[in-house]
Amino acid sequence: MSEVRIGYTCMSEQSDPRWLVRDAAAAEEAGFDLVVFSDHYSPWLTSQGHAPYAWSVLGAVTQVTSRVELMTYVTCPTMRYHPAVVAQKAATVGLLSEGRFTLGLGSGENLNEHVVGHGWPAVEERQDMLVEALEIISALFDGDLLSYAGEHFRVDSARLWDRPAQRVPIAVGVSGEKSCSRFAPLADHLIAVEPDPSLGPMWDGARDPAQAATSRRIGQLPVSWDADRDAAVARAHEQFRWFAGGWKVNADLPTTAGFSGASQFVRPEDVAQQIPCGNDVDAVVEAASAFFEAGFTDLALVQVGGEHQEGFLRAAESEILPALREAAASQDPSPS
């Protein structure tokens, strides 16, 4: 049985970059197995109030941690960033972290990608772009001198001059059969934000059978930890009510005002039904167990509220992580 890895999320939309570096180091000290980083140009809601450049934060975090795995969750390599540039910075972080970095990729959200003024393509085109980006990044990770002429991207005689000895693993966000069939042959690991037990078999079925057993399934779970449950619910509602929209809606809204409008009728009790609020370890375990039962090998927790990380990390070390590991041990996350 594979051991489930429990992760911590450095959520750039809710924290100053200096806090993110501090919190990543504290997460390693608390005993988390990995730290994942959101890569946004804008927060979801104005109340979150932050959006530093994730890759600068990652570079700093490589120097204040030594054990914990690092990962983007996720980077869109198609609009704000050209895939050749994504490959270069991922290889650099792979070197700085001594091989502890996984490149998490996805097809992006309008919220972040519209800022470069290229419009927002339909989902089919976004997935086509991501396929080309994966082909480019993978070839550069292999050390090739690459020239590429696709429908969406061109690369002219590019090579990565600094690469880690071990190739940077690639994980990709998926949501159903179509995305699994398109991206599984081009990536190493699966990313999903819902504990859908059908995703793993679909992903494995689209991969070379010799490689299927090596894929990780990486999920994410928001938590609003606080001794005062009412305060935890209020904070989750203020900062995380956008979460209720689902990714089909969230991918297309362009601004914080759009997310505010789309979530204006979401009530605090609606958010509390989706996000564990308060200091009940059993509630966190119950929510996490849906991922364990669905075969996920990794689960990254998000503590809601940038200024509320310290107490959560203390509780994680003493209560939450031991309870989650005990719950995970009762499930077999190994790909079937």
Side-chain angles (χ1 to χ4, degrees):
M1 184 176 72
S2 300
E3 181 180 353
V4 171
R5 302 171 184 87
I6 306 299
Y8 171 81
T9 301
C10 279
M11 189 174 180
S12 64
E13 304 93 291
Q14 65 177 14
S15 290
D16 178 292
R18 295 163 293 185
W19 301 355
L20 293 170
V21 175
R22 174 202 66 193
D23 293 339
E28 178 176 79
E29 187 174 347
F32 282 93
D33 302 304
L34 69 154
V35 178
V36 308
F37 297 78
S38 57
D39 186 354
H40 273 230
Y41 198 89
S42 172
W44 300 100
L45 295 167
T46 302
S47 56
Q48 291 177 317
H50 295 277
Y53 184 54
W55 292 88
S56 297
V57 174
L58 269 164
V61 169
T62 66
Q63 302 305 293
V64 298
T65 59
S66 60
R67 173 191 57 80
V68 74
E69 293 187 52
L70 307 174
M71 178 181 176
T72 49
Y73 201 105
V74 294
T75 290
C76 175
T78 60
M79 298 189 71
R80 270 186 303 150
Y81 310 133
H82 190 283
V85 177
V86 173
Q88 183 190 34
K89 55 192 178 184
T92 299
V93 173
L95 279 169
L96 287 170
S97 64
E98 303 288 348
R100 292 183 286 129
F101 179 64
T102 294
L103 176 62
L105 300 176
S107 55
E109 299 98 13
N110 194 4
L111 176 70
N112 304 297
E113 308 309 317
H114 80 274
V115 298
V116 294
H118 292 166
W120 184 238
V123 63
E124 291 283 347
E125 184 175 354
R126 299 200 304 268
Q127 291 193 352
D128 290 344
M129 295 170 74
L130 184 54
V131 167
E132 288 192 13
L134 285 163
E135 292 172 348
I136 291 166
I137 292 168
S138 185
L140 290 169
F141 280 177
D142 286 339
D144 297 344
L145 176 64
L146 179 66
S147 291
Y148 183 99
E151 182 179 349
H152 301 285
F153 298 107
R154 298 183 65 87
V155 178
D156 182 15
S157 301
R159 172 178 285 151
L160 297 182
W161 294 95
D162 291 280
R163 296 180 297 122
Q166 182 176 355
R167 176 190 166 102
V168 174
I170 299 173
V172 178
V174 296
S175 58
E177 184 175 4
K178 189 169 186 179
S179 53
C180 284
S181 65
R182 298 200 76 183
F183 303 135
L186 301 171
D188 302 295
H189 308 303
L190 173 157
I191 293 172
V193 294
E194 295 181 357
D196 183 346
S198 70
L199 289 176
M202 286 189 290
W203 176 272
D204 291 345
R207 288 174 59 76
D208 182 326
Q211 298 177 321
T214 65
S215 281
R216 292 161 65 175
R217 303 171 188 176
I218 307 163
Q220 191 175 53
L221 176 69
V223 173
S224 187
W225 185 267
D226 199 300
D228 184 338
R229 187 176 187 277
D230 290 341
V233 171
R235 187 167 70 248
H237 179 257
E238 178 193 36
Q239 297 196 21
F240 247 75
R241 64 184 182 274
W242 58 271
F243 196 75
W247 290 104
K248 289 184 179 179
V249 173
N250 294 346
D252 286 327
L253 294 175
T255 63
T256 54
F259 278 94
S260 180
S263 61
Q264 63 180 312
F265 298 115
V266 177
R267 303 168 301 171
E269 54 264 38
D270 299 327
V271 175
Q273 287 180 350
Q274 291 189 298
I275 297 174
C277 295
N279 61 352
D280 183 352
V281 175
D282 290 341
V284 178
V285 170
E286 181 180 0
S289 292
F291 286 90
F292 304 152
E293 292 164 6
F296 280 71
T297 62
D298 302 71
L299 182 63
L301 305 183
V302 187
Q303 163 66 354
V304 177
E307 70 277 23
H308 292 272
Q309 303 302 303
E310 186 176 353
F312 168 74
L313 289 166
R314 286 199 304 267
E317 182 175 11
S318 62
E319 302 176 70
I320 301 171
L321 287 174
L324 288 175
R325 292 193 172 111
E326 181 179 354
S330 67
Q331 302 293 329
D332 186 352
S334 302
S336 56

